Amino acid sequence: MAVELDLRTPWRIGPVEVPTRLVLAPMAGVSVQAFRRQGRRYGAGLVCSEMVSCAGIEHGNERTLGYLRVAADEHPLAIQLFGSEARPMVDAARMVEAVGADIVDINFGCPVRKVTRTGAGAHLLEEPDLACRIVEEVAGAVDVPVTVKLRRGVANGSRACLELGPRLVDAGAASLTLHPRSAEQMYTGTADHELTAELVSLVEVPVVASGDVTSRARAQTILATTGAEAVMVGRGAQGNPWALREIVDGDASEPTREEVAAELVLFVREAVRELGERRASGFLKKFYGWYLGQGRFPKPFKQGLLQLDSTEEVERRLIAAAPGALAILERLEAEAPTGDELTLELPVSIYGGG
């Protein structure tokens, strides 16, 4: 029987120590500070911002969605950038280094048309010389490690990542994250982690395995068969931080209704603090279903929250449905670390709502 890896074994990306083998994925419209801080509490060793548009920063014509904040309890934190030209990427990398990011992550994997049509994201898998130039110039411009997230390639069956990955490392990438689906696949089918194992064999830097990490057993299998240093979890953590705990520590206990309500109320409060009431009200609606699904609360209750006009009323409904949540919430807020927040005014996303 294979020996399980202790997922609380630290590892390193350059000088940055990551305390667990679990990375919380950057997700557009999801990975706000409230989401990242919660992920750290439940076992993520590294958390990532959602994609930040370098073009929006350069031209100043993208609707400003708020402030990108770096809290004391987020570190280590990677801020992910996307763009199609080296100079704006360098300027943006310097800015996020200044605000306190531990790692600059570059996105060469996003398959969404809104991104690829600008020449960014997964499009750069087909422009390897430009991709390498971007990494080389960004790595030369900042003192923090530069990492890259990529897919296997644009077309189904592509093996482009195996050629590009080593070149990106030569250009200065301190770590690679591979989601071994094609851009054409989007999120359908299965992630081919045989490709992850091949990439690991080709590079001397840590590789993070992304895709279909749905349980501790699956994480252990992927780590054992690929040689990756860590796994990345994305959609499985949406409204379900307990999934992170299960992967890292093997604690598969289901949260109580009170625990679910307390975490959601805390998340609501943090989102309002970060985004403001108006933006947070819209942003949070998708989270209600994520948190309260899986049989945790009746469907009519979830639907009722979507009709409410204020987050204060959402809180009241949740506490009324699970009164014991109040004591848990008070404990969570009392345990929250305090520290300075650094802010950097820049467009957070081309997506709106987070």
Side-chain angles (χ1 to χ4, degrees):
M1 182 177 178
V3 177
E4 283 197 346
L5 174 68
D6 180 0
L7 271 69
R8 287 198 176 272
T9 304
W11 58 291
R12 304 188 77 85
I13 299 176
V16 177
E17 182 173 280
V18 183
T20 76
R21 302 290 172 137
L22 180 60
V23 180
L24 189 60
M27 290 178 282
V30 174
S31 299
V32 294
Q33 187 184 84
F35 183 77
R36 302 191 304 261
R37 295 177 77 182
Q38 183 186 69
R40 288 288 287 122
R41 283 194 291 114
Y42 275 86
L46 175 65
V47 294
C48 307
S49 76
E50 64 177 290
M51 297 186 302
V52 178
S53 167
C54 294
I57 297 169
E58 179 189 27
H59 300 300
N61 59 4
E62 184 178 337
R63 182 169 65 93
T64 300
L65 302 177
Y67 296 101
L68 185 61
R69 296 174 171 89
V70 179
D73 54 340
E74 290 190 81
H75 299 289
L77 166 70
I79 293 181
Q80 187 181 80
L81 305 174
F82 76 99
S84 59
E85 298 178 55
R87 185 183 59 78
M89 293 284 277
V90 165
D91 293 342
R94 287 174 171 153
M95 291 170 75
V96 297
E97 178 185 32
V99 81
D102 301 287
I103 293 167
V104 173
D105 188 55
I106 298 176
N107 184 295
F108 291 158
C110 180
V112 177
R113 177 64 178 160
K114 187 180 280 190
V115 172
T116 59
R117 74 184 180 194
T118 69
H123 176 81
L124 284 160
L125 298 171
E126 296 189 325
E127 299 279 354
D129 292 341
L130 175 57
C132 291
R133 185 163 70 252
I134 289 171
V135 169
E136 182 175 19
E137 293 196 21
V138 171
V142 296
D143 292 328
V144 297
V146 173
T147 61
V148 178
K149 188 171 189 284
L150 66 163
R151 287 198 171 216
R152 66 179 301 161
V154 172
N156 292 334
S158 173
R159 295 170 60 83
C161 63
L162 300 182
E163 179 180 346
L164 180 58
R167 291 187 61 188
L168 294 173
V169 172
D170 289 342
S175 176
L176 303 174
T177 296
L178 178 63
H179 185 148
R181 285 183 170 89
S182 69
E184 288 181 357
Q185 276 183 279
M186 299 291 285
Y187 296 98
T188 63
T190 58
D192 180 6
H193 283 294
E194 290 185 7
L195 210 62
T196 308
E198 290 188 64
L199 181 61
V200 168
S201 72
L202 295 174
V203 297
E204 297 297 324
V205 300
V207 173
V208 178
S210 175
D212 300 344
V213 182
T214 54
S215 66
R216 180 178 178 84
R218 184 66 181 140
Q220 291 284 354
T221 297
I222 291 171
L223 290 170
T225 57
T226 65
E229 288 291 318
V231 292
M232 177 174 280
V233 175
R235 289 171 291 166
Q238 293 174 347
N240 193 25
W242 303 276
L244 304 179
R245 182 178 66 188
E246 189 273 332
I247 291 170
V248 173
D249 296 321
D251 181 354
S253 59
E254 283 294 313
T256 65
R257 282 168 57 98
E258 290 75 18
E259 289 171 329
V260 172
E263 284 290 351
L264 179 50
V265 170
L266 180 62
F267 189 84
V268 168
R269 291 180 180 179
E270 288 288 292
V272 171
R273 179 192 56 79
E274 181 179 357
L275 304 174
E277 172 70 21
R278 185 183 62 82
R279 280 184 55 210
S281 292
F283 167 77
L284 287 164
K285 289 186 183 298
K286 57 182 172 283
F287 285 88
Y288 301 151
W290 290 341
Y291 273 93
L292 305 178
Q294 305 179 59
R296 292 169 179 166
F297 282 76
K299 188 174 182 180
F301 180 80
K302 293 180 290 181
Q303 292 173 331
L305 295 187
L306 297 176
Q307 309 306 316
L308 300 177
D309 294 327
S310 74
T311 58
E312 287 185 1
E313 182 59 27
V314 170
E315 285 191 29
R316 282 194 290 269
R317 293 277 185 95
L318 287 165
I319 297 299
L326 199 55
I328 299 172
L329 178 63
E330 290 173 353
R331 174 177 56 80
L332 290 173
E333 291 189 320
E335 292 174 352
T338 58
D340 292 338
E341 269 188 348
L342 303 174
T343 61
L344 181 63
E345 187 172 0
L346 28 88
V348 175
S349 171
I350 64 171
Y351 287 91

